[in-house]
Structures are given as structure tokens and as C-alpha cells.
Amino acid sequence: MVLSIEVPEGYSYVFFTCGVLPAVINIILGGKVMAARKKFNVPLPNLYATPGHHKEADSFNRVQRGHQHVLETISDFRAASFIGALKHPLVCAVSGLLYCVGNYMYLVGYADQSLDVKMARLKKGGALQFLANVVQIGCGISACYSLLKKQ
């Protein structure tokens, strides 16, 4: 079986907001981790700081977790985005922006020591990235269903 796919108008926005922009956000957040390594004296190759060994382990680890979250979600987000955008390109493009802003704010919230660690990542806008993921998955399901109906 040969399946040909015609991408809809507006799909190029998805390449930017769901392909390129998350990579830029990942680099920016990685830079925040490198700055935190210097500030809290946590040298490579340690992925996380060790409580009792590193003086401000929790402070560093909160920054690191904020960045690690992007790495845990980016592949599923992109797959759902590129599939979902076959049917809903503008929704997916806007959702890509929300994902990027949300991930940045997730790290900002998580790193804020004045906030309780359990909710810190959500307090400053980090929940936007969860919303974006749900939207992309919904769009992906919708696009897959449409393709299956054509067979």
C-alpha cells in the first residue's frame, strides 16, 4: 500500500513552532543548567547534585529537573504535532508556541526556591506545556482517525 500525504496550508508554521522552536528552548534551558552548575558548583559528569555532598543540591536539582522535563516530553510532542498538523495545522502551530513558553515557565517555576516543590513547576505558567501536549495528542488522534477512514 502506498500512502501519499498532502500537507495542508499553514503546515510550515508547525515546522517552526513544533520542530525548530522546541530545539531553541531546549538549548536555552540547557544554558540555564550550565549556569546553575557554575553557581552551585556541580561539575560534569554529575547529572544531578548529591544532597550532603553538594552544598545547594536542591537548588541545582530543581533547575536540572526543569530542563530534564523537556527531554522527557519533546519526542512525543513532536510526533503528535507533525501528525496532528496534517488535519489541524494552525491549532498545532499555536500549541507549539504554548509548549515552548510553558516549558520555559516550567523551569522558572521549578527553580524558584520560594515555592513548594510539588507545585512550583505549575505556579508560573508551566501548566501551559501540559495543555499543549494534550492538544497535540488530540489533534494527532483526530488526524489518524481521518486517515483511517480514507482506507
Side-chain angles (χ1 to χ4, degrees):
M1 174 178 80
V2 175
L3 177 67
S4 69
I5 299 173
E6 185 177 316
V7 295
E9 188 174 327
Y11 200 87
S12 57
Y13 296 116
V14 177
F15 282 133
F16 178 68
T17 65
C18 300
V20 176
L21 197 55
V24 172
I25 292 298
N26 184 33
I27 291 166
I28 290 169
L29 298 183
K32 291 195 172 289
V33 172
M34 293 310 291
R37 285 190 179 284
K38 189 173 185 178
K39 179 179 179 181
F40 300 121
N41 195 27
V42 180
L44 289 168
N46 298 307
L47 184 58
Y48 288 98
T50 306
H53 180 74
H54 296 100
K55 185 178 177 186
E56 296 186 70
D58 286 346
S59 297
F60 173 78
N61 288 343
R62 287 175 74 150
V63 175
Q64 173 65 358
R65 272 299 306 142
H67 177 243
Q68 185 67 31
H69 183 76
V70 173
L71 302 174
E72 293 167 355
T73 62
I74 197 168
S75 61
D76 292 337
F77 173 80
R78 281 183 170 153
S81 298
F82 294 142
I83 293 166
L86 293 171
K87 185 173 181 184
H88 309 282
L90 296 180
V91 172
C92 287
V94 170
S95 187
L97 287 173
L98 292 177
Y99 176 80
C100 293
V101 170
N103 273 299
Y104 184 85
M105 299 314 295
Y106 185 97
L107 183 140
V108 168
Y110 217 147
D112 187 340
Q113 290 284 49
S114 70
L115 299 173
D116 176 57
V117 71
K118 291 180 183 177
M119 294 301 291
R121 56 192 178 260
L122 305 176
K123 293 270 185 180
K124 294 193 173 185
L128 286 175
Q129 60 86 29
F130 289 115
L131 174 64
N133 261 319
V134 170
V135 168
Q136 299 305 56
I137 290 168
C139 288
I141 290 168
S142 174
C144 288
Y145 180 73
S146 294
L147 288 172
L148 288 170
K149 280 188 356 183
K150 290 181 179 181
Q151 289 187 7

